[in-house]
Amino acid sequence: MTTTGTETTPVIPLPGRTAALLTGLGALAVTGSALMPWTWTSDYPGDLTYYGSPAGLQWLALTAGLLTLLLLLATQGIPGLRWAAPRHSHNAVLLAATGALAVGWFSALSIANDLGGLANLEPGGWVLATGSLLAVAGALGLPLDRRTAVPLRILDRRLFLLVPIAPAAWFATHAIPEDKPVAPVLTALAGGLALATGAVLLVQLGHLAHTWLRLGTVQRPLPAPRELPSWAEVGLIVAAFAVGLFAITFGIDTEYGELFTGYLLLAASVVTALGRSGLIARLRALTVKYQAVTTGAAFAAAASFPFTQTSDQYTSVATNILIFATVALGLNIVVGLAGLLDLGYVAFLGVGAYSAALVSGSPASPIHVQFPFWAAVLTGAVVSMVFGVVIGAPTLRLRGDYLAIVTLGFGEIFRITMLNLNGTTGPKITNGSNGIPRIPDLEILGWDLGKPSTVLGVELGRFSNYYLLMLLVTALVVLVFARVGNSRIGRAWVAIREDETAAEAMGINGFRLKLLAFALGACLAGLAGTVQAHVSYTVTPDQYTFAEALPPNSAFLLAAVILGGMGTISGPLAGATLLFLIPKKLEFLADYQLLAFGIALIVLMRVRPEGLIPNRRQQLEFHEAAIPAQPTGDGVALTKAGA
């Protein structure tokens, strides 16, 4: 089957049955390795020393092997399994096998690195590494959707100067005694150069592999699904969200960095493989058909998370993720819809938090009042909105970089002002760097969120209570974003984002609508800040900086919106979740954590600049030539301008 610029051919010329047999044997080997010991000692995290008892990374290998085998059998037309690959694309098999290879070789190399050599691998580890290679080799022999030609891209040649410089810097660090003051600096520099060199080589190898593989997409119509009763289709939606809840819970509950890294590798391959197989498209069609059921199932799955936990250790992480995601959604109105580059947005979160802290009965507050919950929430939201209007009115006549500089200045002015309102350099309002401590827990209709509660026979701790409250706040923000984004105001914001001059020529009041976006975004951030103040017990200026190792801060918030996908709801939610979890789980990288995180962001933006979950307009902006035109009713093809 061939279309313009594409073909369906194998990368490695193998007979079809031989390629399928190799892939199946490799997938079975990966699956079987999870039931064997990978190392002889329990010193490696997870204790991978038992037969028939998978643990840690072994569960990931088991999942990758079974998924590869399932997609292979589905593409071979095995009755009862064809539902798993509606498009019958072998590219899905290759992607799943690649995930098994990534998990397998990462595990083997991680064991060798932690324990001191490949000699520490038991037979299960060798079976895993060999089986994953066999699965990928076999998948490359299957008929794959490929482009007819892909030109080779070469990075800037000056970047390759890092290749000889990095080893030289590394040897120089070992030549200097450790007691010298310059030794730690050189060690950090050598580590940074090594990571940068690895990133350059990785990207260039990716370009070489892309040119060799020439993987593409042959547009096949998705076959009509088998007719099912309504109750069965609703059951499929519920089952999909249950699987999603399990997957997200597994990721949040990972106890060590190696397991989380393997989880990320597997999750990326599983999502892309299921997307290429057509299964996600089928599920998306069901969710569109039953929108009310989908919304209810999503909310029920999220609300079920605290009931899967035995302590508040990871529920606190989930609560902070919701706070971060809610603020990112508010910023998405400003950046994603209206196109205003705001580099000081975290200040509005701080305004809401400080406002709530001052009126919530803290002994350190100079305002000796204690508002009820609803009044404290309104205070934080309204004060943040007022600050948004006050800051936006004189600055929103600026555009682009000038607006970004002003908002960056506002963020720093807010932090410095909170530091100076300490009773020495200014009025005693915020206690300076000490902040406002001992903020009492919220009490809603007699329910003290600071005390454990029992729901459906399950005891929920303090963070579980705040998680459920924050989930309601997030749902409210999602509702506001969805309604505003689809309204006349939302369409006017998008018009301003695309071309403000043209929008004003069509009669849109650009300044008033930009000010409205700024005020609404600030209000939503302040709403989240009121809850954050009570969750953290203390509000200090250092929590609201432009950039820090851990979110929330302005840099991470902006990255969450752009990484997830501007102008969408699910994009910033996914981006915020990843950007909160990755730094927290990569603490084992110590001094190189931020550097590795930054390199990963650069690579991701290079590979997928439109974000993880973009809307069609963003896809057209970055890949207009690669996305097939969709005919409209009058025969006019959809372009970027008409998306």
Side-chain angles (χ1 to χ4, degrees), residues 130-150:
T130 306
S132 59
L133 275 176
L134 189 64
V136 171
L140 290 174
L142 297 171
L144 301 171
D145 299 342
R146 307 173 68 199
R147 296 187 179 94
T148 53
V150 174

Side-chain angles (χ1 to χ4, degrees), residues 280-583:
I280 291 181
R282 281 278 172 84
L283 179 62
R284 188 182 297 115
L286 283 180
T287 59
V288 171
K289 184 177 180 181
Y290 299 97
Q291 292 186 2
V293 173
T294 301
T295 303
F299 186 81
S304 300
F305 175 78
F307 297 92
T308 66
Q309 305 297 302
T310 57
S311 70
D312 263 358
Q313 179 181 1
Y314 296 111
T315 312
S316 63
V317 176
T319 304
N320 285 295
I321 288 175
L322 282 181
I323 293 173
F324 186 36
T326 303
V327 182
L329 272 175
L331 180 60
N332 197 25
I333 292 178
V334 179
V335 176
L337 292 182
L340 306 173
L341 184 54
D342 189 345
L343 297 182
Y345 188 75
V346 76
F348 296 120
L349 176 69
V351 170
Y354 267 99
S355 300
L358 289 171
V359 300
S360 293
S362 169
S365 171
I367 307 174
H368 301 290
V369 297
Q370 184 169 2
F371 285 3
F373 165 70
W374 62 269
V377 168
L378 286 178
T379 300
V382 170
V383 172
S384 295
M385 183 174 64
V386 170
F387 267 81
V389 173
V390 170
I391 299 302
T395 61
L396 287 178
R397 300 188 187 278
L398 302 173
R399 298 185 185 182
D401 298 340
Y402 301 101
L403 176 62
I405 292 171
V406 171
T407 55
L408 176 61
F410 164 65
E412 289 303 298
I413 289 171
F414 168 78
R415 182 179 63 84
I416 295 171
T417 302
M418 295 300 103
L419 281 171
N420 288 331
L421 296 179
N422 54 12
T424 302
T425 57
K428 188 175 182 180
I429 298 177
T430 65
N431 297 317
S433 59
N434 294 324
I436 302 177
R438 292 180 290 171
I439 301 172
D441 285 304
L442 287 172
E443 187 172 332
I444 305 174
L445 301 177
W447 177 29
D448 189 346
L449 272 66
K451 297 180 180 179
S453 57
T454 301
V455 179
L456 301 177
V458 179
E459 183 175 324
L460 301 179
R462 175 178 182 272
F463 283 107
S464 297
N465 296 334
Y466 277 106
Y467 172 87
L468 295 175
L469 173 63
M470 198 60 222
L471 184 62
L472 293 175
V473 175
T474 304
L476 175 63
V477 173
V478 168
L479 177 63
V480 170
F481 184 91
R483 299 292 292 177
V484 172
N486 293 324
S487 68
R488 182 179 62 182
I489 294 175
R491 292 192 294 271
W493 282 337
V494 172
I496 292 172
R497 183 192 70 192
E498 294 298 315
D499 193 327
E500 184 174 350
T501 303
E504 290 179 343
M506 297 298 293
I508 294 175
N509 189 327
F511 173 74
R512 187 179 66 181
L513 286 171
K514 287 193 296 182
L515 187 60
L516 178 60
F518 218 69
L520 181 58
C523 178
L524 297 180
L527 183 64
T530 59
V531 180
Q532 187 209 28
H534 294 275
V535 170
S536 61
Y537 278 133
T538 302
V539 177
T540 61
D542 292 339
Q543 293 174 307
Y544 310 105
T545 59
F546 171 71
E548 266 296 336
L550 293 174
N553 53 68
S554 293
F556 271 72
L557 286 169
L558 186 61
V561 174
I562 297 175
L563 172 66
M566 293 193 301
T568 64
I569 294 176
S570 53
L573 293 177
T577 302
L578 286 175
L579 290 185
F580 191 92
L581 281 178
I582 290 176

Side-chain angles (χ1 to χ4, degrees), residues 103-117:
V103 171
W105 279 82
F106 167 76
S107 302
L109 294 176
S110 177
I111 291 172
N113 179 70
D114 286 8
L115 300 182

